[in-house]
Amino acid sequence: MATLRFKALEDVVHRKPIHPEIKFSKVSEYYGLNVFDRKKMQQYLSVEAFDMVEDSITHGTRVDRRLANQVALGMKAWAIERGATHYTHWFHPLNGTTAEKHDSFFEPVEGGGAIENFSGSLLVQQEPDASSFPSGGIRNTFEARGYTAWDPSSPAFIIDTTLCIPTIFVSYTGEALDYKTPLLKSNVALDAAARKVCDYFHKDVQKVIATLGWEQEYFLVDAALYNARPDLALTGRTLMGHSASKDQQLEDHYFGSIPERVSAYMKDFEFEALKLGIPVKTRHNEVAPNQFECAPVFEEANLAVDHNMLLMSVMERIAKKHNFRVLFHEKPFAGVNGSGKHNNWSMATNTGINLLSPGKNPKSNLRFLTFVLNTLKAVSDNADLLRASILTYNNTFRLGANEAPPAIISVFLGKHINDMLERIEKSVSDKKTMTPDEKAALKLDIGKIPEILLDNTDRNRTSPFAFTGNRFEFRAVGSSANCASPMIVLNSIMADQLNSFHEEVQNEVSKGFKRDEAIFRILRKYIKATKNIIFEGNGYSDEWLKEAEKRGLTNIRQVPESLKAFVSPSTIKLMERNNVLSKRELEARHEIRLDVFKKKVQIESRVLGDLAINHIIPTAVKYQNVLIENVRGMRDLLNTGEFNRQAGLQLETLKEISAHISSIKEGVDAMVEQRKIANAHSLIDDVAQAYQVGVVPYIEEIRYHIDKLELIIDDEIWPLPKYRELLFIS
Ligand code: ADP
Ligand code: MG
């Protein structure tokens, strides 16, 4: 196909929904089409306004009101040209979604007529009536004010006919009510701390950013089947369903050819994503049937987080067009793999250095070692907090469920790095200059190993936190998570650690050690101090559970217990010291997460109770009656001897069904009772804990009996689509 001119293509794409006939010859022709990016800013803004935005992005300088007006005008002109009629501040409240309230550009004017209005003040700050967003007690509903404020570092984009402006969301009194605010603050903290440490190695570094490349796993289910499963529709996962006779045993889905219908969906949502400037690059099948993955090229963490949130909503929207429903739940189906969102994380300098990339000479190797060991130290000292950042009710079904990393935080480094650390540790020296051994240790191995080799060897997929050549991959993050949560914690603990490291090094220097020697001494200390969390074996094995316990590593699998790390004195100190979150904000987040946990369990418990009583038991009774009728007929037809012989099996089945029905009924009654007990507590900590110990076990138990019934009861009358139908797309 002949390549059309760019402008013409824009018009076609914009006016009509995408159509198979519209073919671009290259992604570069439509990448970022719906984004007010640098190129468009240059086109639509004065030099002065453009420079201000640039400055604000790189140095975090405040936005000047007068210039903000110019930006708003440029943005509006571009957006209206692209067919936008509305604008919205787009933010990430703490309920885990994205929020938007659309306002029209249109404004009536005195004397009739109307104009399209969008001013700097509307761009920069708004005051949505946001009383129904969770605030953890920070904002009283009678004083429902919360502010959204423009984040210039994440470009505005158009969805459908709405211009969306990424913003932070804070309370009237300035506390963060979202994920973005602390994420941006953690970026600032990391930048300052990492720059100080970088200065030891590279004098010219002016800025350090966190980089994030997420890998999004998801399931697809046919929309009609999804709608026939109230549990899936209301809770995101199947609360019942016996395993299909065949699911992932043969591992024939992983990296297999993508079904045509799925591939059409992927192309469609990727097209939309690319127009929004989301650099999606990789797609493949995952291990479980109907499970897939999508991954972009990594970006600066704040932008990557926005892009992930945006992609999830694009995927949901486009799925409906293909009669699919996309599931981001961490464990929609029991017995097959759950879904994660691996967070590949590193740090990069404005001079183009990846700080976790092994160097080519001793100096850059020392820098590499410094950042790797500081990461180890940060993770080791804050494992509980890191876990709390990713442990949600849904994720508890995945973590430790023998195909996902356990809830024990350990780090995998690979043989090359481990050998090197060992060598360094052994080269003990108390002299004030480096021994030849120490110097050799730095020169050895790592510099000589090409990056590509480090990248592709030594992969350990069972580790929750693995070094993968030039970055760490945090694999315990759940598929539905907002990546900001783990990123805030990683950036903050790293910033804090780098500050301590800097202080320790300066201390050694003041004792008379040369700088490199001082660094070396501290690193050697860290090697010893972090040995405990390094684990290279199979993280899914039972041996590891025992070994981790021996090492004193925590293995917390329950949300209320895990969340305590959010409000521990050490977390509060760390977050306040680095100006990321205040005590009040942490307490609010703790409360919100407990509340979300409680509500999720409560909803599941109600849905399960309803389905059990209204769908499953009546079906079981119906089948029982069929069997009873059958037995009665046998009794009429057969003589006693024959009857006893032949009806025995039927009677056994009848008894079995009765037993399961009673267990289900008793289970549901007891579960309701437990909910009442839990709800009677007044502190959310107690409510959540009571839901955990009182209600959660019943959800599993009731399911067990329902799944048994599914195997016994006539398929024709079973009221819900089964796993074998849900899990295979034809
Ligand atoms: P795998 O499935 O083998 O882990 P993928 O290619 O699916 O690998 O995903 C790797 C992810 O890591 C990609 O999003 C990639 O952009 C990202 N990545 C690569 N280098 C970095 C880095 N320096 N910082 C952050 N993310 C990175
Ligand atoms: Mg990966």
Side-chain angles (χ1 to χ4, degrees):
M1 190 191 123
T3 317
L4 294 166
R5 280 191 49 237
F6 184 62
K7 185 78 188 122
L9 278 172
E10 262 195 51
D11 290 339
V12 177
V13 171
H14 176 60
R15 301 242 149 75
K16 283 196 216 147
I18 37 160
H19 194 274
E21 261 119 70
I22 303 169
K23 292 229 168 43
F24 291 94
S25 49
K26 299 196 249 2
V27 171
S28 55
E29 286 170 0
Y30 57 89
Y31 183 66
L33 204 60
N34 290 338
V35 184
F36 194 59
D37 55 18
R38 272 202 168 77
K39 219 166 87 198
K40 274 140 211 154
M41 281 201 276
Q42 260 169 338
Q43 206 179 328
Y44 285 86
L45 301 185
S46 67
V47 176
E48 202 186 8
F50 178 79
D51 286 348
M52 177 203 68
V53 178
E54 281 277 290
D55 213 40
S56 169
I57 295 170
T58 29
H59 303 114
T61 43
R62 208 170 271 283
V63 174
D64 175 285
R65 284 286 164 144
R66 184 179 57 86
L67 291 176
N69 261 326
Q70 288 189 25
V71 179
L73 280 178
M75 224 185 245
K76 183 184 76 177
W78 168 76
I80 288 176
E81 262 177 49
R82 305 252 345 111
T85 53
H86 288 65
Y87 62 90
T88 181
H89 276 194
W90 181 81
F91 55 100
H92 311 168
L94 291 168
N95 57 8
T97 57
T98 56
E100 48 206 77
K101 172 177 143 257
H102 299 195
D103 283 304
S104 175
F105 287 124
F106 149 86
E107 231 165 64
V109 286
E110 232 174 283
I115 54 161
E116 265 71 39
N117 183 34
F118 184 57
S119 64
S121 58
L122 291 174
L123 164 70
V124 172
Q125 187 176 315
Q126 286 194 24
E127 200 181 310
D129 172 23
S131 50
S132 52
F133 293 117
S135 74
I138 279 178
R139 186 167 32 80
N140 296 326
T141 6
F142 64 83
E143 201 194 56
R145 283 190 290 177
Y147 288 107
T148 52
W150 180 36
D151 167 20
S153 62
S154 183
F157 53 89
I158 295 175
I159 295 262
D160 192 19
T161 53
T162 301
L163 169 70
C164 302
I165 299 147
T167 60
I168 58 164
F169 180 42
V170 295
S171 77
Y172 180 56
T173 41
E175 278 102 356
L177 297 171
D178 67 347
Y179 284 104
K180 194 189 260 287
T181 309
L183 177 64
L184 291 172
K185 286 180 165 181
S186 75
N187 282 341
V188 171
L190 182 64
D191 172 33
R195 239 186 306 132
K196 256 191 328 198
V197 174
C198 263
D199 200 51
Y200 291 147
F201 313 102
H202 314 282
K203 292 278 171 219
D204 54 342
V205 170
Q206 270 150 10
K207 188 169 167 107
V208 176
I209 56 163
T211 53
L212 165 63
W214 39 263
E215 300 160 54
Q216 179 71 55
E217 294 180 341
Y218 61 97
F219 278 86
L220 285 177
V221 179
D222 184 88
L225 296 175
Y226 173 94
N227 288 332
R229 290 286 311 222
D231 48 352
L232 207 45
L234 295 176
T235 72
R237 74 167 175 131
T238 52
L239 297 174
M240 54 191 70
H242 199 278
S243 302
S245 310
K246 172 192 182 288
D247 43 53
Q248 65 188 43
Q249 305 94 322
L250 298 175
E251 302 201 339
D252 48 357
H253 192 251
Y254 192 51
F255 279 21
S257 69
I258 298 171
E260 216 170 287
R261 192 177 156 201
V262 175
S263 147
Y265 164 65
M266 287 175 167
K267 285 180 194 152
D268 211 353
F269 86 67
E270 283 173 11
F271 181 63
E272 291 301 315
L274 288 162
K275 281 195 289 177
L276 286 165
I278 308 171
V280 288
K281 199 173 164 66
T282 308
R283 58 164 102 115
H284 61 77
N285 286 0
E286 262 303 325
V287 177
N290 273 12
Q291 194 188 24
F292 307 93
E293 180 184 299
C294 166
V297 178
F298 70 91
E299 298 174 287
E300 184 278 316
N302 175 43
L303 192 57
V305 167
D306 281 358
H307 278 166
N308 180 245
M309 295 305 283
L310 194 51
L311 182 80
M312 288 198 286
S313 68
V314 168
M315 285 173 73
E316 277 171 348
R317 188 161 46 84
I318 303 295
K320 288 184 189 151
K321 270 178 48 184
H322 290 256
N323 291 320
F324 278 136
R325 293 305 290 248
V326 57
L327 310 180
F328 292 120
H329 192 290
E330 280 71 7
K331 191 79 177 177
F333 304 100
V336 297
N337 272 20
S339 300
K341 173 148 54 197
H342 303 172
N343 278 209
N344 294 272
W345 171 86
S346 187
M347 291 148 287
T349 67
N350 65 315
T351 54
I353 299 168
N354 173 357
L355 293 174
L356 290 174
S357 206
K360 294 193 171 47
N361 53 48
K363 191 166 190 67
S364 48
N365 273 345
L366 189 56
R367 180 260 302 152
F368 165 69
L369 270 181
T370 297
F371 281 91
V372 167
L373 277 162
N374 273 285
T375 311
L376 284 185
K377 187 76 166 52
V379 171
S380 168
D381 290 351
N382 299 282
D384 286 341
L385 177 58
L386 204 52
R387 180 196 303 104
S389 77
I390 53 98
L391 200 68
T392 58
Y393 177 55
N394 297 352
N395 209 8
T396 56
F397 295 103
R398 171 180 164 260
L399 295 183
N402 73 35
E403 82 304 309
I408 306 163
I409 300 288
S410 68
V411 182
F412 168 87
L413 288 177
K415 189 170 175 331
H416 298 300
I417 314 253
N418 269 312
D419 286 353
M420 183 157 96
L421 295 188
E422 204 175 308
R423 199 176 235 120
I424 292 169
E425 198 194 348
K426 281 194 188 132
S427 63
V428 189
S429 153
D430 282 324
K431 283 182 255 120
K432 303 222 162 172
T433 52
M434 259 190 233
T435 64
D437 249 10
E438 287 167 335
K439 286 193 176 136
L442 273 182
K443 275 190 206 132
L444 271 169
D445 295 340
I446 208 97
K448 291 187 191 150
I449 298 159
E451 231 174 271
I452 189 82
L453 196 68
L454 271 176
D455 215 347
N456 292 329
T457 55
D458 261 356
R459 282 302 188 94
N460 181 332
R461 300 201 169 265
T462 66
S463 175
F465 202 90
F467 184 72
T468 50
N470 58 5
R471 61 192 185 264
F472 280 98
E473 182 173 344
F474 192 15
R475 305 177 70 246
V477 185
S479 46
S480 69
N482 183 326
C483 308
S485 180
M487 286 298 115
I488 292 164
V489 168
L490 256 178
N491 290 347
S492 306
I493 62 179
M494 189 61 179
D496 197 63
Q497 174 51 44
L498 288 169
N499 282 330
S500 307
F501 173 76
H502 187 261
E503 218 178 287
E504 285 183 88
V505 171
Q506 292 313 105
N507 211 5
E508 294 293 285
V509 169
S510 71
K511 283 191 220 152
F513 288 96
K514 283 205 174 130
R515 213 198 43 219
D516 282 1
E517 271 96 54
I519 293 174
F520 213 58
R521 285 170 68 82
I522 306 299
L523 292 185
R524 198 184 291 120
K525 203 173 82 180
Y526 287 178
I527 295 174
K528 285 201 180 70
T530 57
K531 272 208 171 133
N532 234 8
I533 54 153
I534 294 174
F535 179 64
E536 306 284 305
N538 179 6
Y540 300 173
S541 67
D542 288 341
E543 292 79 63
W544 171 229
L545 295 184
K546 285 183 212 127
E547 163 74 15
E549 200 178 333
K550 244 195 267 159
R551 292 190 193 184
L553 299 180
T554 49
N555 179 15
I556 302 171
R557 294 187 57 185
Q558 301 189 339
V559 175
E561 177 65 22
S562 161
L563 287 182
K564 287 183 183 155
F566 263 120
V567 285
S568 73
S570 64
T571 298
I572 293 172
K573 273 199 214 113
L574 188 150
M575 288 296 182
E576 291 201 324
R577 195 159 57 221
N578 291 282
N579 190 31
V580 178
L581 287 161
S582 68
K583 180 165 187 268
R584 189 154 180 243
E585 288 170 322
L586 283 163
E587 282 168 353
R589 260 150 231 262
H590 178 241
E591 191 182 317
I592 291 167
R593 287 204 176 210
L594 284 175
D595 190 52
V596 169
F597 167 80
K598 173 227 143 177
K599 284 180 180 147
K600 290 225 156 144
V601 181
Q602 189 178 43
I603 292 169
E604 278 196 358
S605 159
R606 284 179 180 162
V607 172
L608 180 65
D610 288 354
L611 286 177
I613 302 297
N614 299 328
H615 288 58
I616 305 302
I617 292 186
T619 309
V621 169
K622 214 183 273 171
Y623 189 55
Q624 245 182 345
N625 286 337
V626 172
L627 293 180
I628 289 170
E629 208 39 50
N630 182 254
V631 171
R632 216 179 261 138
M634 281 183 172
R635 203 182 45 204
D636 292 348
L637 286 175
L638 306 172
N639 65 41
T640 317
E642 277 176 330
F643 174 77
N644 286 345
R645 251 196 326 277
Q646 293 190 17
L649 209 67
Q650 241 61 337
L651 291 168
E652 268 314 302
T653 311
L654 271 172
K655 268 193 238 155
E656 229 179 293
I657 295 176
S658 293
H660 289 307
I661 291 178
S662 315
S663 302
I664 291 170
K665 182 80 183 66
E666 281 158 23
V668 172
D669 288 346
M671 182 168 72
V672 172
E673 214 33 58
Q674 288 297 326
R675 288 209 305 262
K676 283 187 194 149
I677 295 173
N679 292 337
H681 290 287
S682 46
L683 286 178
I684 182 66
D685 308 60
D686 300 334
V687 178
Q689 184 59 21
Y691 266 91
Q692 175 71 61
V693 298
V695 181
V696 171
Y698 280 110
I699 296 180
E700 274 313 288
E701 196 191 314
I702 295 165
R703 175 193 186 129
Y704 170 83
H705 294 287
I706 295 179
D707 290 355
K708 287 286 174 205
L709 283 177
E710 187 189 313
L711 289 182
I712 304 173
I713 288 171
D714 183 0
D715 183 61
E716 238 171 73
I717 59 169
W718 191 254
L720 301 168
K722 295 182 175 176
Y723 270 26
R724 64 164 183 257
E725 290 140 357
L726 291 167
L727 277 171
F728 295 91
I729 285 170
S730 48

